[in-house]
Amino acid sequence: MKNIIQKSLQSGFVTFLKNQKVLAILIPLLILVSTQSNKFWSLYNLQGLWVIIAMDGIMLVGMVMVMLTAGLDLSIGAIMSLAGVICVYLMNELGLPMWAGILGGILVGALGGAMNGLFITAFKINPFIATLGTMITFEGLAMTITDGYPVVNKVLIFSEIGRGKLGIIPIPAIILAMIFTAGVIFLHYTETGRSIYAIGGNEEAAHASGIRVKRVKFITYTICGLTAGISGVILASRLSTGSPIVGSDSALNVITAAMLGGISMSGGVGTLEGAFLGVLTMGVLSNSFNMMNIQAYYQQVIKGILLLVVIVIDRVSANSRKKALERTRGKNQA
């Protein structure tokens, strides 16, 4: 029995690796970076790399759930900034305890996600338009609260969340591991998680089968905001400031990572595990850019092109799946 379980796990792992086309980018990238700099595999660099991955990786968990329902959330960067600002503001300007500031920042993230979910499910606004509007709103709120300037953190112990380590492992990486594990369990082993895939596969069929589509979508957007809030609090801790502009690139990075890892914008396709390889690739890419002293605006151009490429690939794949499904239906009817 033990051997059967072991073989099943090994087979599943091998199948998973075969389906991850992102490895064709990640592995050569790791080799290239290793040959260009002997500092890449240093402990200091790897710790910094995992902190970078943790920020986007935590938000990726929520974004994947949204994208699996064929949705999108452009506001996560603005939510991230607002959550960090609120967290630091509550502690330093209002004098609340650290736990209250942290809870306040995370709650703001969840409320921002819930607002997105409400607009999309109750008012039936297109996710792109809805989250674009809330992104602008959240950015404006962060600017209004701070008057356009970062709020400096004065609570020293708060900085340990973003800068501290447990042994040699950065605390943000540990938080990422916990949230990622919870996300995998949620998607694969709960009724709501299975409903998320069903909605992305065919929303009308999911509704006809009794799935409460609006409720599930609302939950995914709330979770997406929640993860953005958590990431915002961690980043504010690491920077010792609540900045109103710090999350400006986050949506681009997370969406690109998700699609690179096999998540389809058409919904219902991909796994959180595969998407993690995408965020790992994006992290290594950013780290290698910095090590090679490539300027920030060149990095943006490259990431933008990469996003366009994965969108085209996703669209071609979606069309191929649609044609294959139509052929199968035609054969069954014949």
Side-chain angles (χ1 to χ4, degrees):
M1 184 67 180
K2 184 178 179 182
N3 290 334
I4 293 174
I5 294 173
Q6 187 176 5
K7 288 180 180 179
S8 177
L9 290 172
Q10 289 175 347
S11 176
F13 181 68
V14 170
T15 303
F16 167 74
L17 291 180
K18 286 181 178 179
N19 292 331
Q20 298 309 313
K21 299 178 179 62
V22 68
L23 290 174
I25 299 174
L26 178 58
I27 294 173
L29 181 61
L30 286 171
I31 295 172
L32 177 63
V33 176
S34 300
T35 57
Q36 293 297 313
S37 175
N38 55 8
K39 295 180 180 179
F40 178 79
W41 295 105
S42 68
L43 179 60
Y44 177 79
N45 186 66
L46 289 177
Q47 287 173 336
L49 173 62
W50 277 102
V51 170
I52 293 172
I53 292 171
M55 300 301 167
D56 288 343
I58 291 170
M59 290 189 287
L60 179 81
V61 174
M63 181 64 81
V64 164
M65 294 181 190
V66 165
M67 292 179 70
L68 285 173
T69 65
L72 192 67
D73 189 348
L74 299 177
S75 69
I76 57 169
I79 291 176
M80 178 188 189
S81 299
L82 182 60
V85 165
I86 292 293
C87 176
V88 178
Y89 185 85
L90 290 176
M91 289 187 297
N92 291 274
E93 301 300 324
L94 300 185
L96 296 181
M98 186 178 74
W99 65 266
I102 294 171
L103 185 61
I106 294 173
L107 182 60
V108 163
L111 288 174
M115 184 183 295
N116 287 331
L118 182 65
F119 285 135
I120 291 164
T121 58
F123 299 104
K124 297 181 180 179
I125 301 175
N126 180 280
F128 181 90
I129 301 300
T131 58
L132 179 62
T134 55
M135 178 188 75
I136 296 170
T137 302
F138 298 146
E139 286 177 349
L141 282 173
M143 285 288 186
T144 301
I145 293 169
T146 63
D147 200 25
Y149 296 97
V151 182
V152 179
N153 169 49
K154 300 172 185 176
V155 182
L156 295 180
I157 193 172
F158 175 63
S159 299
E160 288 300 309
I161 297 173
R163 299 181 182 182
K165 302 180 184 67
L166 189 61
I168 62 171
I169 305 174
I171 289 176
I174 295 172
I175 297 173
L176 167 63
M178 294 169 61
I179 293 175
F180 177 80
T181 301
V184 170
I185 293 171
F186 178 78
L187 280 173
H188 293 310
Y189 301 104
T190 68
E191 183 179 347
T192 303
R194 290 188 288 270
S195 297
I196 288 171
Y197 275 98
I199 291 168
N202 189 322
E203 186 172 323
E204 292 181 1
H207 182 75
S209 66
I211 294 174
R212 298 172 66 180
V213 174
K214 289 184 178 180
R215 176 178 174 272
V216 173
K217 281 189 173 184
F218 181 82
I219 289 172
T220 62
Y221 280 97
T222 303
I223 292 174
C224 192
L226 176 69
T227 55
I230 294 171
S231 189
V233 169
I234 294 172
L235 186 56
S237 168
R238 183 166 180 80
L239 299 177
S240 288
T241 57
S243 172
I245 61 170
V246 74
S248 57
D249 299 334
S250 297
L252 168 66
N253 292 338
V254 174
I255 293 170
T256 303
M259 296 186 69
L260 199 58
I263 302 296
S264 174
M265 291 190 74
S266 302
V269 176
T271 64
L272 185 53
E273 301 92 306
F276 179 74
L277 292 179
V279 82
L280 182 61
T281 302
M282 291 296 291
V284 172
L285 193 63
S286 295
N287 184 257
S288 62
F289 284 158
N290 293 332
M291 293 183 72
M292 291 185 283
N293 295 317
I294 296 177
Q295 294 181 345
Y297 43 86
Y298 287 138
Q299 296 186 30
Q300 285 297 96
V301 171
I302 295 170
K303 289 178 181 178
I305 292 172
L306 182 60
L307 177 58
L308 290 173
V309 169
V310 294
I311 287 173
V312 171
I313 293 172
D314 175 67
R315 181 49 51 195
V316 171
S317 299
N319 289 337
S320 298
R321 287 193 298 269
K322 185 177 180 181
K323 289 179 181 178
L325 183 61
E326 289 173 351
R327 285 197 297 269
T328 302
R329 287 175 177 172
K331 290 179 182 179
N332 291 336
Q333 290 174 355

